[in-house]
Amino acid sequence: MILLLVRHGVAEDAGADTGYRDEPRALTEEGAARMQQAARGMAALGLVPELILTSPLTRCVQTAEIVHAALGGELEADARLAPGMELEDLADAVADRGDPQVVMACSHQPGLSIAAGELVGGGTIEFRKGALAVVETPALRAGRGVLRALYPPAALRRLGT
């Protein structure tokens, strides 16, 4: 399986507009524009996910929709990818969808970094907003994955120009 891990794009702060809540925070105008350019970069890499799973929080759904428009695949929200996600949550969410061979997951920090690090054998993998990690793994279990690439958002945007 190829697992494509994406952190959501730049979002607004939790303030009066969001009722000081985290869930409704949307991508900023600049965050959406940067994510569109990064998604074009992902397309230039030839990435074609069968399935895009996303946290149900607004900023992740918006990020996943932008990537979906550029790459295609089936798009589904799953509460297990919300803040606090662990590797087991991600594995269960993917397993519930059968046996897809190329899966993209859009989630949050620090769970994304921790789960990715566990998957590839320890530590954490730094995810800036809009970053992409490509992991090859026979199973979504600790220590079974190999990090094939880590694209910072600026590199993806350059590829998308």
mmCIF file of all heavy atoms in Angstrom, residues 90-108:
data_model
loop_
_atom_site.group_PDB
_atom_site.id
_atom_site.type_symbol
_atom_site.label_atom_id
_atom_site.label_comp_id
_atom_site.label_asym_id
_atom_site.label_seq_id
_atom_site.Cartn_x
_atom_site.Cartn_y
_atom_site.Cartn_z
ATOM 1 N N LEU A 90 -6.087 5.396 12.199
ATOM 2 C CA LEU A 90 -5.873 5.473 10.755
ATOM 3 C C LEU A 90 -6.001 4.086 10.127
ATOM 4 O O LEU A 90 -6.675 3.910 9.103
ATOM 5 C CB LEU A 90 -4.506 6.081 10.452
ATOM 6 C CG LEU A 90 -4.085 6.150 8.998
ATOM 7 C CD1 LEU A 90 -5.074 6.971 8.173
ATOM 8 C CD2 LEU A 90 -2.683 6.730 8.891
ATOM 9 N N ALA A 91 -5.371 3.095 10.733
ATOM 10 C CA ALA A 91 -5.427 1.722 10.220
ATOM 11 C C ALA A 91 -6.865 1.214 10.177
ATOM 12 O O ALA A 91 -7.278 0.592 9.188
ATOM 13 C CB ALA A 91 -4.558 0.807 11.074
ATOM 14 N N ASP A 92 -7.639 1.482 11.220
ATOM 15 C CA ASP A 92 -9.035 1.038 11.254
ATOM 16 C C ASP A 92 -9.864 1.735 10.178
ATOM 17 O O ASP A 92 -10.709 1.104 9.527
ATOM 18 C CB ASP A 92 -9.648 1.292 12.634
ATOM 19 C CG ASP A 92 -9.102 0.372 13.714
ATOM 20 O OD1 ASP A 92 -8.448 -0.644 13.384
ATOM 21 O OD2 ASP A 92 -9.328 0.690 14.906
ATOM 22 N N ALA A 93 -9.630 3.026 9.987
ATOM 23 C CA ALA A 93 -10.379 3.781 8.977
ATOM 24 C C ALA A 93 -10.103 3.235 7.584
ATOM 25 O O ALA A 93 -11.021 3.082 6.769
ATOM 26 C CB ALA A 93 -10.021 5.264 9.057
ATOM 27 N N VAL A 94 -8.840 2.916 7.295
ATOM 28 C CA VAL A 94 -8.490 2.352 5.989
ATOM 29 C C VAL A 94 -9.059 0.946 5.853
ATOM 30 O O VAL A 94 -9.641 0.595 4.818
ATOM 31 C CB VAL A 94 -6.957 2.368 5.778
ATOM 32 C CG1 VAL A 94 -6.578 1.603 4.518
ATOM 33 C CG2 VAL A 94 -6.439 3.813 5.713
ATOM 34 N N ALA A 95 -8.926 0.126 6.877
ATOM 35 C CA ALA A 95 -9.410 -1.261 6.829
ATOM 36 C C ALA A 95 -10.913 -1.328 6.575
ATOM 37 O O ALA A 95 -11.386 -2.247 5.893
ATOM 38 C CB ALA A 95 -9.056 -1.991 8.125
ATOM 39 N N ASP A 96 -11.651 -0.366 7.084
ATOM 40 C CA ASP A 96 -13.098 -0.335 6.883
ATOM 41 C C ASP A 96 -13.481 -0.081 5.427
ATOM 42 O O ASP A 96 -14.634 -0.255 5.055
ATOM 43 C CB ASP A 96 -13.749 0.735 7.765
ATOM 44 C CG ASP A 96 -13.814 0.320 9.218
ATOM 45 O OD1 ASP A 96 -13.511 -0.850 9.546
ATOM 46 O OD2 ASP A 96 -14.169 1.194 10.052
ATOM 47 N N ARG A 97 -12.516 0.350 4.614
ATOM 48 C CA ARG A 97 -12.785 0.648 3.196
ATOM 49 C C ARG A 97 -12.274 -0.455 2.272
ATOM 50 O O ARG A 97 -12.069 -0.234 1.097
ATOM 51 C CB ARG A 97 -12.129 1.973 2.806
ATOM 52 C CG ARG A 97 -13.000 3.202 3.026
ATOM 53 C CD ARG A 97 -13.167 3.541 4.425
ATOM 54 N NE ARG A 97 -13.971 4.755 4.648
ATOM 55 C CZ ARG A 97 -14.017 5.346 5.805
ATOM 56 N NH1 ARG A 97 -13.307 4.889 6.821
ATOM 57 N NH2 ARG A 97 -14.771 6.398 5.982
ATOM 58 N N GLY A 98 -12.023 -1.625 2.795
ATOM 59 C CA GLY A 98 -11.569 -2.738 1.962
ATOM 60 C C GLY A 98 -10.055 -2.782 1.876
ATOM 61 O O GLY A 98 -9.364 -2.659 2.882
ATOM 62 N N ASP A 99 -9.553 -2.902 0.666
ATOM 63 C CA ASP A 99 -8.118 -3.079 0.458
ATOM 64 C C ASP A 99 -7.582 -2.091 -0.585
ATOM 65 O O ASP A 99 -7.018 -2.501 -1.602
ATOM 66 C CB ASP A 99 -7.846 -4.527 0.027
ATOM 67 C CG ASP A 99 -6.365 -4.850 0.010
ATOM 68 O OD1 ASP A 99 -5.603 -4.224 0.774
ATOM 69 O OD2 ASP A 99 -5.974 -5.726 -0.781
ATOM 70 N N PRO A 100 -7.739 -0.790 -0.347
ATOM 71 C CA PRO A 100 -7.216 0.166 -1.329
ATOM 72 C C PRO A 100 -5.682 0.121 -1.348
ATOM 73 O O PRO A 100 -5.044 -0.102 -0.327
ATOM 74 C CB PRO A 100 -7.726 1.517 -0.813
ATOM 75 C CG PRO A 100 -7.925 1.313 0.645
ATOM 76 C CD PRO A 100 -8.323 -0.129 0.812
ATOM 77 N N GLN A 101 -5.110 0.328 -2.525
ATOM 78 C CA GLN A 101 -3.657 0.256 -2.665
ATOM 79 C C GLN A 101 -2.974 1.615 -2.551
ATOM 80 O O GLN A 101 -1.796 1.687 -2.220
ATOM 81 C CB GLN A 101 -3.300 -0.401 -3.998
ATOM 82 C CG GLN A 101 -3.724 -1.859 -4.046
ATOM 83 C CD GLN A 101 -3.160 -2.660 -2.881
ATOM 84 O OE1 GLN A 101 -1.956 -2.780 -2.731
ATOM 85 N NE2 GLN A 101 -4.038 -3.197 -2.034
ATOM 86 N N VAL A 102 -3.711 2.699 -2.853
ATOM 87 C CA VAL A 102 -3.157 4.047 -2.709
ATOM 88 C C VAL A 102 -4.185 4.882 -1.954
ATOM 89 O O VAL A 102 -5.277 5.143 -2.463
ATOM 90 C CB VAL A 102 -2.830 4.696 -4.073
ATOM 91 C CG1 VAL A 102 -2.209 6.080 -3.868
ATOM 92 C CG2 VAL A 102 -1.903 3.808 -4.892
ATOM 93 N N VAL A 103 -3.828 5.268 -0.731
ATOM 94 C CA VAL A 103 -4.739 5.995 0.149
ATOM 95 C C VAL A 103 -4.087 7.296 0.581
ATOM 96 O O VAL A 103 -2.912 7.316 0.962
ATOM 97 C CB VAL A 103 -5.068 5.169 1.414
ATOM 98 C CG1 VAL A 103 -5.951 5.966 2.370
ATOM 99 C CG2 VAL A 103 -5.723 3.859 1.045
ATOM 100 N N MET A 104 -4.853 8.370 0.531
ATOM 101 C CA MET A 104 -4.408 9.639 1.087
ATOM 102 C C MET A 104 -5.213 9.893 2.351
ATOM 103 O O MET A 104 -6.418 9.628 2.390
ATOM 104 C CB MET A 104 -4.619 10.778 0.095
ATOM 105 C CG MET A 104 -4.204 12.139 0.638
ATOM 106 S SD MET A 104 -4.296 13.431 -0.621
ATOM 107 C CE MET A 104 -2.748 13.140 -1.455
ATOM 108 N N ALA A 105 -4.535 10.391 3.383
ATOM 109 C CA ALA A 105 -5.208 10.741 4.634
ATOM 110 C C ALA A 105 -4.830 12.166 4.997
ATOM 111 O O ALA A 105 -3.652 12.508 5.041
ATOM 112 C CB ALA A 105 -4.805 9.782 5.742
ATOM 113 N N CYS A 106 -5.833 12.995 5.259
ATOM 114 C CA CYS A 106 -5.629 14.389 5.648
ATOM 115 C C CYS A 106 -6.013 14.522 7.121
ATOM 116 O O CYS A 106 -7.137 14.213 7.503
ATOM 117 C CB CYS A 106 -6.480 15.304 4.786
ATOM 118 S SG CYS A 106 -6.244 17.062 5.150
ATOM 119 N N SER A 107 -5.055 14.982 7.932
ATOM 120 C CA SER A 107 -5.312 15.048 9.362
ATOM 121 C C SER A 107 -4.567 16.226 9.995
ATOM 122 O O SER A 107 -4.200 17.169 9.299
ATOM 123 C CB SER A 107 -4.938 13.716 10.020
ATOM 124 O OG SER A 107 -5.409 13.654 11.359
ATOM 125 N N HIS A 108 -4.364 16.132 11.315
ATOM 126 C CA HIS A 108 -3.891 17.242 12.142
ATOM 127 C C HIS A 108 -2.629 16.866 12.918
ATOM 128 O O HIS A 108 -2.297 15.705 13.073
ATOM 129 C CB HIS A 108 -4.975 17.615 13.170
ATOM 130 C CG HIS A 108 -6.323 17.831 12.560
ATOM 131 N ND1 HIS A 108 -6.759 19.060 12.153
ATOM 132 C CD2 HIS A 108 -7.330 16.956 12.281
ATOM 133 C CE1 HIS A 108 -7.990 18.944 11.657
ATOM 134 N NE2 HIS A 108 -8.348 17.674 11.719
#
